[in-house]
Amino acid sequence: MTAVDRERRTTVRHLSRVTRSRALPLGVLLVLAPICAEFIQAYLPITGRPLELVGALLVLAPLYGGTAVLIRETAVRTGRGWPGVLLLAAAFGVVQAGIVDMSLFLSVDTGVPAFDEAFTPTLVGLLGVSAAASTTWVGGHVVMSIGVPVALVHWAWPRWAGRPWLGPRGLAVMASLVLGAAALIHADQRSVQGGGPSKAQLVGATVVAGALVALALSRIGRPLPTTTQRVPPRALWLLCGAFAVKLTAELVPPTWLGVSVVWVLAAGTVVSVARLSVSGHWRDGQPAALAAGALLAWAVIGFLAPAVPGVDPTNRLVHNLVFGVLAVLLAIVVVRRDQRRCATGSAKDDAPTPRARHA
């Protein structure tokens, strides 16, 4: 064997190891995004039915997980930070709720418990949009569909947090899967509703989503610069704060007062986290703590959500307990890892790195 052959074989083995190592976080993100977005809240008719939930992943994983992958790939390749990721997530929320499943403009009962109560009180007749419902659904996609799963995957695999996972061919395949899943859900929803949004509503949703993408790709979407070496709060406090904010936002009534409370909470959270994250000691563990707190609150909401017609109460309780226990275990692991890092006080852990600043 010549030296060239040995070098070629070594290169092939290295690329194979790299491919396998990044396949795991990619696969976890594909599955985690729809679980966080749809399954934990326990409002679907298939709640408590494992086989049907797995079947639903065949469509929801490409839609939610594929979008999460494309957003983090865009962020990594264009040097976006969390501001850019969340703006892209908001654009996805508008497209998903306004164009794909059209729930943003629904005027019919979908069979989801308490739908009318969530949609009607803040309905803006001229636009055909409910302020409470749009805030909940678009905000839910920002936090649960994209923000939480991306933060957790980057925390679990920090080696890949600031590095691309896919090449051009992989990106093309992922985009095709997302579009295919979106087309399936759109067609299904249109057949159920017997219609859909008006052309003006579709154009409006497209313009809003486009504006959010433009903001994400502007200077606003870049990572926040490091301006202080002040040590941010411990993971436990960040987790508790995220839990309280998320739970409060979900429990306020779907009225104009409730919408105002949610927007105040959201603005306060964004400002507070932005001020904390400019610390050179802000790392992947802090976003993971925020994500774990939001996920834990989401699991609690699963227990409090109205009963779903046709779903066996025992199956639903088991469903909620499984996801609730997993959320608690995740919160414990996040907090304990932060405690160990703080206890060791190693320079390697405390030193800021460029990779930790990326989405």
Side-chain angles (χ1 to χ4, degrees):
M1 181 182 297
T2 65
V4 173
D5 291 334
R6 286 195 296 270
E7 183 178 354
R8 184 179 301 169
R9 180 171 294 184
T10 301
T11 302
V12 170
R13 285 200 298 266
H14 173 71
L15 291 175
S16 178
R17 286 196 299 270
V18 169
T19 300
R20 289 195 301 269
S21 65
R22 68 185 176 185
L24 184 56
L26 189 152
V28 170
L29 183 55
L30 282 173
V31 174
L32 186 61
I35 289 176
C36 293
E38 299 290 349
F39 292 176
I40 296 179
Q41 195 182 6
Y43 76 98
L44 295 173
I46 59 175
T47 295
R49 303 172 187 170
L51 293 179
E52 294 184 42
L53 290 171
V54 172
L57 282 176
L58 297 177
V59 175
L60 297 181
L63 180 61
Y64 291 100
T67 301
V69 170
L70 291 178
I71 285 176
R72 66 86 54 195
E73 287 290 301
T74 301
V76 169
R77 291 170 179 275
T78 61
R80 302 301 95 184
W82 274 108
V85 170
L86 297 180
L87 284 168
L88 290 173
F92 165 66
V94 173
V95 171
Q96 170 64 20
I99 299 175
V100 178
D101 66 20
M102 301 173 290
S103 57
L104 202 63
F105 306 112
L106 283 179
S107 59
V108 297
D109 189 354
T110 62
V112 176
F115 174 83
D116 288 337
E117 291 82 352
F119 197 91
T120 305
T122 58
L123 180 64
V124 181
L126 183 63
L127 300 177
V129 175
S130 167
S134 57
T135 297
T136 299
W137 293 329
V138 176
H141 286 304
V142 172
V143 177
M144 301 309 303
S145 301
I146 308 298
V148 166
V150 169
L152 292 176
V153 169
H154 281 185
W155 165 77
W157 287 276
R159 174 188 175 189
W160 291 102
R163 300 166 64 182
W165 292 349
L166 299 172
R169 185 178 301 176
L171 291 172
V173 171
M174 191 65 66
S176 299
L177 291 174
V178 171
L179 292 174
L184 284 175
I185 292 179
H186 178 82
D188 178 70
Q189 288 296 103
R190 186 172 288 274
S191 65
V192 170
Q193 298 174 30
S198 66
K199 291 182 179 180
Q201 289 174 324
L202 291 175
V203 170
T206 302
V207 170
V208 171
L212 290 168
V213 171
L215 285 175
L217 298 179
S218 70
R219 294 176 60 90
I220 296 175
R222 293 179 180 177
L224 297 176
T226 299
T227 59
T228 178
Q229 290 299 317
R230 182 181 303 170
V231 178
R234 299 283 289 271
L236 178 61
W237 295 111
L238 292 171
L239 188 149
C240 291
F243 175 84
V245 169
K246 179 63 175 173
L247 193 63
T248 302
E250 293 297 328
L251 292 179
V252 296
T255 61
W256 284 109
L257 177 60
V259 172
S260 300
V261 171
V262 171
W263 277 98
V264 169
L265 287 172
T269 301
V270 168
V271 171
S272 299
V273 173
R275 294 186 63 180
L276 293 172
S277 66
V278 296
S279 167
H281 299 281
W282 184 269
R283 308 188 61 80
D284 290 329
Q286 279 77 32
L290 295 170
L295 195 65
L296 192 59
W298 204 230
V300 171
I301 293 299
F303 285 94
L304 302 178
V308 183
V311 174
D312 182 80
T314 302
N315 290 345
R316 185 186 178 199
L317 178 60
V318 172
H319 178 107
N320 288 334
L321 286 173
V322 169
F323 284 114
V325 169
L326 291 175
V328 170
L329 291 176
L330 174 65
I332 292 173
V333 172
V334 170
V335 171
R336 286 189 174 179
R337 180 179 290 188
D338 177 73
Q339 290 173 341
R340 286 198 301 269
R341 184 185 65 81
C342 293
T344 58
S346 69
K348 181 178 179 180
D349 286 339
D350 288 338
T353 63
R355 184 175 61 197
R357 306 301 301 168
H358 289 288

